[in-house]
């Protein structure tokens, strides 16, 4: 019989990449409210500490560890430093970027940087944490995908490619690591108000299109991703593996 205890994250420790703002910070807050100790990661140490201080002020157990997800050696050092203070039970693989440009004009350097953060970074963080989870025979990995892993949209083709790769990363790691009692799932947010979407939020025409296109009739707020993250990070999801859950106000369910 399911009880609230199944969703309790007390005694668990979570690493959130890209955790200094936006979706990452909102998910960190939700996990902390569910009882987890959280470790925020980003490259900008000052922004990271400011975010951590805000969560501590709310009474949460928060640490921070700066490293660059694009550099596997930096990832390994950062994960090792975190693990020296205690096991990582939950990984939120959230670090990512967006770059809007017509496909015919997309520069190679911009393409490589986007893939390095969104795809290479997600894989090597999962690898560094996953090796340790395998040794312990337990763990939860939650990758942050996007509705653009399912839908195409002009000007973001490489981004959509990268998020499709994140969905396949989720399935592939499930195939390899489920036998080690590791659950690997993904959350695919729809259109949420974040730093990455600020240009679209400021565009009245786009907002009008979005409101008309989304059954919920509005933008999502990042706090609304917290419940799904807590579920996937908890014992309630112990037999959920390789799945992508769309949190999009119904956008991908209708025509």
């Amino acid at each position: 019989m399911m009880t609230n205890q199944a969703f309790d994250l007390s005694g668990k420790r979570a690493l959130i990449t890209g955790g200094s703002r936006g979706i990452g910070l909102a998910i960190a807050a939700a996990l902390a409210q569910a009882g987890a100790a959280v470790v925020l990661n980003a490259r900008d140490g000052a922004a990271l500490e400011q975010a951590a201080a805000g969560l501590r002020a709310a009474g949460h157990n928060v640490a921070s560890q700066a490293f660059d997800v694009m550099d596997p050696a930096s990832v390994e050092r950062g994960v090792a430093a975190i693990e020296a203070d205690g096991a990582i039970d939950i990984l939120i693989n959230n670090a990512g970027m967006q770059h809007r440009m017509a496909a015919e004009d997309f520069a190679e350097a911009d393409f490589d940087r986007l893939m390095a953060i969104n795809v290479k970074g997600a894989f090597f963080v999962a690898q560094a944490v996953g090796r340790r989870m395998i040794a312990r025979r337990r763990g939860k990995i939650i990758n942050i995908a996007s509705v653009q892993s399912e839908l195409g949209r002009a000007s973001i083709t490489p981004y959509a490619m990268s998020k499709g790769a994140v969905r396949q990363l989720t399935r592939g790691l499930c195939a390899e690591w489920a036998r080690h009692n590791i659950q690997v799932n993904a959350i695919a947010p729809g259109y949420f108000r974040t730093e990455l979407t600020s240009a679209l939020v400021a565009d009245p025409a786009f907002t009008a299109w979005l409101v008309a296109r989304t059954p919920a009739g509005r933008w999502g707020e990042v706090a609304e991703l917290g419940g799904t993250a807590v579920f996937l990070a908890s014992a309630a999801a112990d037999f959920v593996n390789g799945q992508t859950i769309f949190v999009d106000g119904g956008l991908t369910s209708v025509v």
Side-chain angles (χ1 to χ4, degrees):
M1 185 174 180
M2 191 64 67
T3 67
N4 287 341
Q5 198 169 24
F7 299 90
D8 184 7
L9 299 182
S10 298
K12 302 297 184 181
R13 197 155 175 255
L15 167 62
I16 301 95
T17 68
S20 63
R21 61 182 184 171
I23 287 173
L25 184 57
I27 289 177
L31 298 184
Q33 288 162 11
V38 300
V39 182
L40 304 181
N41 156 261
R43 285 175 297 168
D44 184 339
L48 201 54
E49 267 309 304
Q50 183 176 3
L55 291 179
R56 289 189 198 107
H60 301 309
N61 183 350
V62 185
S64 63
Q65 183 69 45
F67 59 81
D68 185 351
V69 301
M70 294 186 289
D71 178 357
S74 176
V75 169
E76 177 57 31
R77 287 192 300 270
V79 169
I82 295 166
E83 287 261 339
D85 291 328
I88 298 169
D89 302 292
I90 302 157
L91 168 63
I92 308 295
N93 227 347
N94 168 71
M97 68 167 290
Q98 173 66 285
H99 186 85
R100 295 181 176 84
M101 181 65 63
E104 64 270 25
D105 298 322
F106 217 100
E108 182 180 6
D110 294 329
F111 182 93
D112 289 346
R113 178 174 173 76
L114 187 148
M115 292 296 170
I117 296 176
N118 293 6
V119 180
K120 180 180 177 180
F123 177 81
F124 283 104
V125 174
Q127 182 190 71
V129 175
R131 285 171 175 156
R132 294 160 168 88
M133 290 179 169
I134 288 170
R136 291 188 287 267
R137 292 197 55 77
R138 60 180 170 83
K140 306 277 187 177
I141 297 175
I142 303 168
N143 298 317
I144 303 302
S146 167
V147 290
Q148 261 68 54
S149 66
E150 181 75 10
L151 304 174
R153 183 171 175 81
S155 82
I156 59 168
T157 294
Y159 177 81
M161 291 169 61
S162 75
K163 291 303 183 177
V166 169
R167 284 185 74 184
Q168 286 304 108
L169 170 66
T170 301
R171 292 172 172 137
L173 293 182
C174 166
E176 295 199 44
W177 294 352
R179 66 182 182 272
H180 300 296
N181 190 33
I182 298 169
Q183 292 81 53
V184 186
N185 293 288
I187 297 173
Y191 284 91
F192 282 75
R193 298 177 188 270
T194 70
E195 293 83 355
L196 292 183
T197 61
S198 58
L200 300 179
V201 173
D203 182 345
F206 184 87
T207 293
W209 170 84
L210 179 67
V211 168
R213 176 67 179 80
T214 304
R218 61 178 177 84
W219 285 89
E221 302 297 335
V222 290
E224 294 174 302
L225 293 164
T228 305
V230 169
F231 163 63
L232 291 175
S234 74
D238 279 352
F239 204 58
V240 180
N241 219 332
Q243 302 304 304
T244 299
I245 299 179
F246 286 79
V247 183
D248 63 1
L251 180 68
T252 54
S253 296
V254 301
V255 295

